Amino acid sequence: AGLIPALNSGRVNVFLFPGQTQSADGLAALEEGSARGVVLYGGEFTMTQTDVSASGPVFKLPGGDALLALGMDLRTEKYKFNGDERETAAQRSIIGAAFDQSNVLSGAKRDVKAVYGELLLPLLKGLETTLSVRQDRYEGFGTTTNPKVSGLWKPIDSFLIRGSYSTGFRVPTFNQLYNGSAESLYSGTALVYPLTCPSGRPSTTVPGCVFIDRAANIINGGKPDLGPEEAKMSSVGFIWEPVNNLSIGLDWWSIKREGTIQILSLTQLIDNYALFPERFIRNSQGILIAVDQRWVNAGETETEGVEVNLRGAFNAMGARFNAGLDGTYLLKKRLRVVPSASFGPSEIGQFSFAGDLGLRWKHSAFVTYTRGEWSSTLSQTFRSGYNDQFLPGVAAGRVSPPNWKPKVDSYTTYNLGITYVGIKNLTLTGMVKNLFDKDPPFAITYDSNFGSGSSWEPRVADPRGRAFVLTAQYSFF
């Protein structure tokens, strides 16, 4: 039952003229297909945790006391998700919510046990290192041990060097494991069977490469046999204070992940058919009937960047001025679907459905003016532009939608706030977010079969426009 069956029944008059009313039978048909009373979302995540730790000095070194911390962490994670809990015959088919019922999960849980230790060693005055290790045991995924080594050196008061190396471990989420499988009919024109079309691209002139125009389904959903992903992280940088009230910080960082939990695009699966032949499902006659596009542990990702931190302050005209900037410049972002394959092209400045967008540069900057009991802050947020995606049927060099640009514009917004602290224990703040009412740049991000058609990128921009905020904070102590 649902709206579509109600309309198809012929009982509903969809061509009412002004002044006409729907018949009793038509109203009854609409009521039978109504979504009234349907419960679509009812997820709940619960974590019960016990954490015990102890710390203190253990021995002396030339730079001071060595400090040791030991701890234990025990927790239980539980998750459940309900859909429409009524009997199947009483459930309604809701347009645009086809997969909720398939994700019903009565309950899943896992226990996690961890022990950790950390040792701070002040080797010399201005030179120290920290050694730490953590061992986790995830129910269903085994045991993993991850160390971390970090250090800093301050050869002079105005200059500090720091660095670190560590490993990480992440298990799949409950949704990635247990979401129900859902099949949808592929409606594009780019699907070929890679066993007969090595190029992976449809062509009417190449035998075996004609695109599949018969019924073929795309399978999405959870994958119960997913494994964890592992990571290696490194960083090195410095902080320099050439004069009073001025500091400059630069930090290079690198993150390498293996066995990444990701959803490969249809093009990636076709291009790497030899690595994922089980993802192409055929019937007894050898005809391709479905492509499994569910989550997979595949390949590696490499991401590198530089963090920039600037701070400055000065007094002028009886007031205090503070300014700062925190930015990230992306140097590398690429992946390969399996360790034996070569890395793909750079993803910096390129649209991607999965994870974060690889924006070349992004920053937040501010200037604060303080005079007596009043202060005011003007802040700026900037996100650089990137190459938009191509919709199915729209390719480079072909006719594009009117006024469409292949590159999404950069996005800059300003916020202005004023704070008053002239009343004891009370702080009053008024703020205007998105001061100039900046609209998000147009992007065709989610104009797809399963998207909202939003035409803006939620990972970069905010569509809510100018907003006014007033806060009052009172301290009783």
Side-chain angles (χ1 to χ4, degrees):
L3 179 60
I4 299 301
L7 295 176
N8 287 340
S9 69
R11 297 160 60 192
V12 179
N13 184 359
V14 297
F15 300 105
L16 290 176
F17 292 102
Q20 288 184 311
T21 58
Q22 192 66 251
S23 68
D25 189 40
L27 291 174
L30 291 173
E31 181 60 31
E32 292 169 7
S34 169
R36 188 181 295 109
V38 173
V39 177
L40 290 178
Y41 299 102
E44 181 179 273
F45 176 82
T46 304
M47 182 173 71
T48 305
Q49 183 174 14
T50 301
D51 193 342
V52 180
S53 63
S55 62
V58 287
F59 54 85
K60 288 187 175 293
L61 289 172
D65 289 331
L67 303 176
L68 176 66
L70 298 172
M72 174 177 67
D73 181 12
L74 305 174
R75 68 181 186 271
T76 298
E77 300 174 350
K78 296 181 179 180
Y79 175 75
K80 64 180 180 180
F81 185 90
N82 68 271
D84 192 341
E85 296 180 342
R86 298 180 295 184
E87 294 294 330
T88 302
Q91 293 175 1
R92 297 293 181 263
S93 176
I94 311 303
I95 298 175
F99 310 121
D100 299 312
Q101 203 63 21
S102 67
N103 293 337
V104 170
L105 184 64
S106 59
K109 81 175 190 70
R110 60 186 171 212
D111 294 320
V112 184
K113 302 175 182 178
V115 293
Y116 57 88
E118 184 173 356
L119 180 63
L120 171 64
L121 300 173
L123 303 176
L124 299 169
K125 184 179 180 180
L127 176 64
E128 66 180 41
T129 184
T130 301
L131 308 174
S132 59
V133 64
R134 180 183 177 97
Q135 184 178 82
D136 294 84
R137 184 182 183 280
Y138 280 83
E139 183 180 6
F141 295 96
T143 300
T144 177
T145 303
N146 295 286
K148 179 178 181 179
V149 180
S150 62
L152 63 86
W153 178 39
K154 197 172 185 179
I156 56 177
D157 289 341
S158 62
F159 192 74
L160 179 147
I161 301 173
R162 58 191 176 188
S164 68
Y165 173 82
S166 62
T167 64
F169 177 89
R170 185 177 79 87
V171 300
T173 66
F174 287 113
N175 281 332
Q176 290 171 335
L177 289 169
Y178 302 124
N179 269 3
S181 294
E183 296 188 16
S184 59
L185 184 65
Y186 180 75
S187 57
T189 59
L191 182 60
V192 296
Y193 186 30
L195 185 62
T196 61
C197 185
S199 70
R201 302 295 180 268
S203 173
T204 57
T205 61
V206 179
C209 287
V210 177
F211 76 87
I212 298 175
D213 58 356
R214 55 184 172 271
N217 288 336
I218 305 298
I219 303 173
N220 292 280
K223 200 74 165 57
D225 59 353
L226 276 178
E229 67 179 29
E230 300 177 349
K232 298 177 181 179
M233 295 154 284
S234 306
S235 68
V236 62
F238 68 85
I239 299 177
W240 180 37
E241 298 178 351
V243 296
N244 289 336
N245 297 320
L246 176 64
S247 67
I248 302 170
L250 287 176
D251 289 276
W252 168 88
W253 53 266
S254 171
I255 301 174
K256 297 181 179 181
R257 295 186 301 157
E258 299 177 350
T260 53
I261 301 171
Q262 58 182 307
I263 294 178
L264 298 179
S265 68
L266 195 59
T267 300
Q268 287 175 318
L269 288 173
I270 292 174
D271 289 345
N272 297 277
Y273 170 76
L275 304 175
F276 305 101
E278 74 284 355
R279 295 286 174 141
F280 295 84
I281 302 169
R282 298 179 292 170
N283 62 15
S284 57
Q285 288 77 41
I287 298 174
L288 181 66
I289 58 174
V291 180
D292 186 350
Q293 205 179 351
R294 292 179 295 171
W295 296 95
V296 63
N297 289 104
E300 302 176 18
T301 64
E302 292 185 354
T303 311
E304 292 182 14
V306 175
E307 300 290 327
V308 180
N309 308 103
L310 304 176
R311 292 291 184 273
F314 62 92
N315 296 320
M317 299 178 291
R320 178 73 169 177
F321 292 84
N322 291 273
L325 180 145
D326 298 299
T328 301
Y329 185 83
L330 206 57
L331 298 172
K332 180 189 293 184
K333 189 176 190 293
R334 61 180 187 173
L335 65 84
R336 53 183 173 187
V337 293
V338 291
S340 59
S342 58
F343 279 99
S346 173
E347 296 182 356
I348 298 177
Q350 302 293 331
F351 172 83
S352 171
F353 274 113
D356 296 325
L357 288 180
L359 302 181
R360 175 66 79 177
W361 172 257
K362 57 183 179 181
H363 75 250
S364 297
F366 69 90
V367 176
T368 298
Y369 168 88
T370 304
R371 187 185 184 98
E373 299 163 340
W374 293 88
S375 65
S376 179
T377 299
L378 176 66
S379 62
Q380 180 200 67
T381 300
F382 174 83
R383 301 291 183 264
S384 63
Y386 59 93
N387 293 327
D388 207 350
Q389 70 154 324
F390 287 104
L391 290 174
V394 179
R398 298 177 61 180
V399 177
S400 300
N403 302 321
W404 177 76
K405 295 186 296 185
K407 185 170 183 178
V408 177
D409 292 336
S410 62
Y411 181 61
T412 306
T413 58
Y414 294 86
N415 304 317
L416 178 63
I418 298 176
T419 299
Y420 177 68
V421 294
I423 302 174
K424 185 179 179 180
N425 297 335
L426 179 65
T427 301
L428 298 175
T429 302
M431 178 179 289
V432 183
K433 293 185 177 181
N434 195 351
L435 181 64
F436 301 109
D437 201 23
K438 176 75 172 180
D439 288 331
F442 177 81
I444 57 176
T445 311
Y446 296 112
D447 287 335
S448 60
N449 290 342
F450 301 106
S452 59
S454 57
S455 299
W456 57 277
E457 174 52 71
R459 292 170 292 182
V460 175
D462 188 334
R464 290 175 292 183
R466 185 187 294 118
F468 300 90
V469 181
L470 178 64
T471 61
Q473 180 179 340
Y474 186 84
S475 175
F476 294 91
F477 302 99

